[in-house]
Amino acid sequence: MHQSAHRIALSLPSGSSSYTFDTKVGFKEQYAPTGVTGCAIGFGTGGCAFPGGGSLSLPEFTGFQMQNQEFKIFIPAGTRSFLFSGYAAQTTQSAFVLRYGKEPTRVAPLSGAEYQAAQTGERIDSSFTRLVNEDVDHFVVHDGGGTLRFVGGQLDANRSSTDQGKWLYVRQLSGAALYDYQGALDIDMPKYAAGYAKISWTTSPFPDPVDAASPTTPTTPTTPTTPTTPTTPTIPTVPTTPTTAGSVTTNVVSTTGQPLKLDVTLTQTTADVAASDKTSVWIAARIPANGLFFTTDVWFFRKVDSWVQLGLPNPETVAYSSQIANAGTLKFTPTMDLTADDLRAFNVEIYFGFKNSNGSFVNKGKIW
């Protein structure tokens, strides 16, 4: 989540009641303990959008849609309390699973009974302490009213705080994409600064803490045990060479300055068509890792009328054409919404793939 450009509230000018904002990317820059103006740690003196002694704001996104249905939030050492909420369309149902310190294990949608149990058993005001102290998946569901509260409450009644910095992982199990998330941390300032100094950072142009916990004190390594002599490994069977089914040709049919439109033709053998009466086709755009916001390769999938990301483990939901009648020649004319120059500005590449006669996915690679 920190790899998105956060709008961070700056200190209120004297005599003003209107907040201004700065934009920063990456936890290291967003929440350095010193030298950062606004609502970052070290400047919690009344100018923060969220009140509280030494509180740290997770900046608000207005009209921002979470296309990624898996994200994570760093909870630093010194955190006393944590509030986090979002917005989902009213009269809808959405389910999320959260886990502190590691990825959740749950990937399947909740059953009706599980959804109801999560809704009736919700205890948001004590959820932060349960997340930190219980190494289990925690479910949060939308009650249909708009605002969706994920986490709330203090670590304990004595204003204790976390000893380590760890990630809170969030995975959406069902429902529409989340809008407008916001939150706040109340922290122990000296403990936060000490923990920040011990963080191991990623090598991204906009660094975040690495996934492992950031300890307050280094641990003494244990003496390694003498490794046992490995048994002779069994020789794996050599897989048969997969058949590379079909051939793909691509032509640009749009004019200069217009959104890129491709004419894609998939040609298959008679045997391929005879073996399967249905096929599915995927058209994807890859944005390579770069020095802007994309620190890893990012994939978007083209549906007939929109771009989507694979948020739930069902590739058919992002197919350009799903379970269509198979034929020796299939033609597709996807429009990419952006011009070729716009796409090249981000080094975007277009890829094509389909299911062959035995149900396996065939990646035909880059087609533009």
Side-chain angles (χ1 to χ4, degrees):
M1 191 184 72
H2 301 287
Q3 289 300 306
S4 298
H6 284 186
R7 297 174 63 233
I8 297 180
L10 301 179
S11 298
L12 272 176
S14 177
S16 173
S17 59
S18 299
Y19 283 102
T20 56
F21 295 86
D22 196 359
T23 300
K24 299 183 183 300
V25 179
F27 190 92
K28 186 175 185 179
E29 182 180 359
Q30 287 163 348
Y31 302 124
T34 58
V36 179
T37 59
C39 213
I41 291 299
F43 295 86
T45 57
C48 290
F50 298 91
S55 67
L56 146 64
S57 160
L58 289 178
E60 180 177 354
F61 281 63
T62 301
F64 178 80
Q65 185 173 15
M66 286 294 297
Q67 291 292 343
N68 293 311
Q69 293 183 301
E70 292 185 335
F71 57 95
K72 58 187 180 180
I73 309 161
F74 190 67
I75 310 298
T79 301
R80 295 191 185 108
S81 66
F82 177 46
L83 308 175
F84 182 62
S85 64
Y87 179 85
Q90 295 188 22
T91 70
T92 61
Q93 290 191 345
S94 301
F96 297 80
V97 58
L98 288 68
R99 193 156 186 162
Y100 179 76
K102 65 179 67 170
E103 293 185 23
T105 59
R106 181 67 176 251
V107 294
L110 300 182
S111 67
E114 289 174 318
Y115 195 100
Q116 182 64 36
Q119 193 172 52
T120 57
E122 185 177 82
R123 293 175 292 149
I124 295 297
D125 291 340
S126 63
S127 58
F128 179 55
T129 185
R130 288 185 284 112
L131 277 167
V132 172
N133 294 315
E134 299 173 5
D135 186 19
V136 296
D137 288 355
H138 291 257
F139 299 119
V140 174
V141 299
H142 187 217
D143 64 5
T147 299
L148 194 157
R149 297 177 65 202
F150 284 89
V151 185
Q154 298 180 337
L155 188 62
D156 61 38
N158 299 317
R159 289 182 61 77
S160 301
S161 60
T162 54
D163 293 325
Q164 297 176 305
K166 291 187 178 182
W167 289 94
L168 172 65
Y169 295 84
V170 182
R171 175 183 296 141
Q172 186 167 3
L173 301 177
S174 62
L178 183 69
Y179 284 85
D180 293 351
Y181 63 74
Q182 60 182 346
L185 299 168
D186 184 70
I187 57 94
D188 178 315
M189 297 283 282
K191 196 170 183 179
Y192 172 83
Y196 182 95
K198 297 178 184 296
I199 290 175
S200 298
W201 300 101
T202 62
T203 57
S204 161
F206 310 103
D208 281 338
V210 297
D211 280 3
S214 304
T216 52
T217 55
T219 56
T220 303
T222 57
T223 302
T225 58
T226 303
T228 58
T229 302
T231 58
T232 302
T234 58
I235 300 174
T237 58
V238 179
T240 58
T241 303
T243 302
T244 304
S247 63
V248 174
T249 57
T250 306
N251 294 300
V252 176
V253 295
S254 52
T255 58
T256 302
Q258 296 298 312
L260 178 66
K261 186 175 183 179
L262 302 178
D263 188 339
V264 184
T265 302
L266 170 63
T267 304
Q268 300 183 93
T269 66
T270 303
D272 288 330
V273 177
S276 178
D277 61 347
K278 299 287 186 180
T279 188
S280 295
V281 169
W282 287 265
I283 296 170
R286 181 178 79 97
I287 302 178
N290 57 58
L292 193 59
F293 298 124
F294 305 106
T295 56
T296 60
D297 289 358
V298 177
W299 290 85
F300 295 90
F301 294 87
R302 183 66 192 180
K303 295 177 74 70
V304 172
D305 58 356
S306 63
W307 288 103
V308 296
Q309 284 188 285
L310 179 59
L312 300 176
N314 182 3
E316 292 288 340
T317 63
V318 297
Y320 182 80
S321 294
S322 179
Q323 295 299 302
I324 60 174
N326 209 357
T329 300
L330 294 171
K331 288 185 176 291
F332 309 93
T333 54
T335 299
M336 304 303 168
D337 290 344
L338 300 173
T339 67
D341 288 342
D342 291 335
L343 295 169
R344 290 191 184 100
F346 283 89
N347 297 319
V348 174
E349 301 169 347
I350 307 299
Y351 287 76
F352 183 90
F354 69 102
K355 281 186 177 179
N356 68 4
S357 58
N358 62 12
S360 299
F361 178 74
V362 178
N363 181 4
K364 301 305 295 186
K366 179 181 173 182
I367 61 170
W368 183 86

